[in-house]
Amino acid sequence: MSLKEFLEYPILSIHTYTLHMYQVIAVAVVICVSYIVEKISKRIFYSKSSRIDKGTKYALHQILYYGIIIVTFLIIMRILGVNISPILVGSSAVLVGIGLGLQNLFLDFISGVIILLDKSVRVGDVLDMNGVMGRVEQISMRTTKILTTDRKTIVFPNSYLTKDKLSNYSSNEYPNAFYIEVGVDYSTDIKTAENLLVEAARENPDISKEREPYIRLNDFADSSLNLRLYFFSDDPFHISQTKSEIRKSILEKFRANNIIIPYPTYDIHSK
């Protein structure tokens, strides 16, 4: 058997369609080339010498990845001699019905494209979504994986990130502001309490040194003067632990200086 006969050898024949050996080989070559291109692009995007940030690298690679899949599919269909235009036209009514039933799924896909293109949310960003704080671990075309501060992985539909309100702590150029509120007795010397609060924040190694902590008298409550300690941090993902350490320090300093954190008190009047 000559090479020409080998390449034109019919592997499968259905009615008027015949699949030849050269088509199978061509498909295998296209898949291999696509795989190699994807791996090389991934290595280029994630190379240490690149100045692009991690989130942008991931977004660009994901767009290229899905682009390679689409182009590879179209090339394979052309090699196999399959014309997909009649299939799309003939199934348009079915696609409309499916689209109505799966509109939320399509919305998630569109939202995924938007997120990857506008880079409002990127891998590595720390988000706060309705009280759930976590770090973005993966953004796919339909869902986004978030690792919460208590080490739980939550999968959000991408439409959730584009429709609902969220706080992106990683989008700020400066350290993020956080606060701890504590109540002190009305007989407390405010200046002493303020100095102790600021001191507790300054002593914490996870607090940013670029901006000084400060105090605000937030409220005249029923049983206490509510002071709010504002401080800044570059590590929002671990802010819960940072706040815990500062609270412990505040408690120790208040006890050492006889500053009372009062319990709520109520007056009961009887006739």
Side-chain angles (χ1 to χ4, degrees):
M1 180 183 293
S2 64
L3 178 61
K4 181 179 180 181
E5 292 175 339
F6 173 76
L7 293 176
E8 294 181 351
Y9 181 80
I11 299 176
L12 179 65
S13 181
I14 302 176
H15 298 293
T16 59
Y17 176 78
T18 302
L19 177 66
H20 297 90
M21 179 62 73
Y22 73 86
Q23 292 174 302
V24 176
I25 296 173
V27 168
V29 170
V30 169
I31 293 175
C32 290
V33 171
S34 300
Y35 178 81
I36 293 171
V37 169
E38 192 275 330
K39 291 300 179 183
I40 293 176
S41 66
K42 185 176 182 179
R43 182 173 297 181
I44 293 173
F45 278 124
Y46 289 96
S47 62
K48 293 182 179 179
S49 59
S50 176
R51 297 182 179 179
I52 306 175
D53 62 88
K54 182 180 178 182
T56 303
K57 290 178 183 178
Y58 184 86
L60 292 174
H61 177 257
Q62 285 293 100
I63 293 171
L64 180 62
Y65 173 76
Y66 289 108
I68 290 173
I69 290 178
I70 293 172
V71 172
T72 301
F73 173 77
L74 295 176
I75 292 175
I76 289 175
M77 290 298 101
R78 186 175 182 83
I79 291 173
L80 296 178
V82 178
N83 186 4
I84 63 174
S85 298
I87 298 176
L88 294 177
V89 173
S91 60
S92 58
V94 178
L95 291 175
V96 170
I98 294 175
L100 292 174
L102 300 178
Q103 54 184 331
N104 289 335
L105 181 63
F106 293 147
L107 178 60
D108 292 333
F109 274 102
I110 294 172
S111 299
V113 173
I114 293 173
I115 291 171
L116 291 172
L117 289 176
D118 71 4
K119 297 179 289 185
S120 57
V121 175
R122 296 175 291 184
V123 173
D125 285 359
V126 178
L127 309 178
D128 186 344
M129 297 169 290
N130 294 329
V132 178
M133 179 177 282
R135 183 173 59 217
V136 178
E137 296 293 307
Q138 181 183 11
I139 301 174
S140 61
M141 292 301 291
R142 194 180 68 82
T143 60
T144 295
K145 287 185 178 180
I146 306 291
L147 179 66
T148 64
T149 53
D150 54 356
R151 314 305 294 181
K152 293 179 182 178
T153 300
I154 302 178
V155 179
F156 288 97
N158 285 332
S159 58
Y160 184 90
L161 276 68
T162 56
K163 291 192 302 182
D164 294 353
K165 283 185 178 181
L166 59 85
S167 299
N168 190 342
Y169 289 104
S170 302
S171 63
N172 297 333
E173 297 180 3
Y174 304 101
N176 293 281
F178 301 94
Y179 69 85
I180 294 174
E181 188 163 312
V182 59
V184 297
D185 191 80
Y186 271 89
S187 62
T188 303
D189 181 73
I190 295 298
K191 285 296 181 183
T192 301
E194 288 181 350
N195 291 336
L196 293 174
L197 288 171
V198 171
E199 185 179 309
R202 284 175 177 169
E203 290 176 355
N204 191 286
D206 297 320
I207 299 303
S208 174
K209 308 304 179 184
E210 294 181 18
R211 299 186 64 180
E212 282 291 310
Y214 62 92
I215 308 296
R216 282 180 180 168
L217 177 56
N218 194 55
D219 193 18
F220 293 103
D222 293 335
S223 307
S224 63
L225 296 170
N226 290 347
L227 301 176
R228 187 171 285 186
L229 165 65
Y230 287 88
F231 60 91
F232 302 86
S233 175
D234 293 309
D235 187 12
F237 186 71
H238 297 101
I239 198 62
S240 296
Q241 181 62 30
T242 302
K243 285 185 175 182
S244 175
E245 295 301 324
I246 294 176
R247 288 190 183 102
K248 292 177 184 177
S249 179
I250 290 171
L251 186 59
E252 291 177 0
K253 292 180 182 297
F254 276 15
R255 285 175 175 173
N257 289 271
N258 298 319
I259 294 179
I260 299 172
I261 300 176
Y263 296 102
T265 58
Y266 303 95
D267 293 330
I268 300 176
H269 300 277
S270 60
K271 294 182 180 180

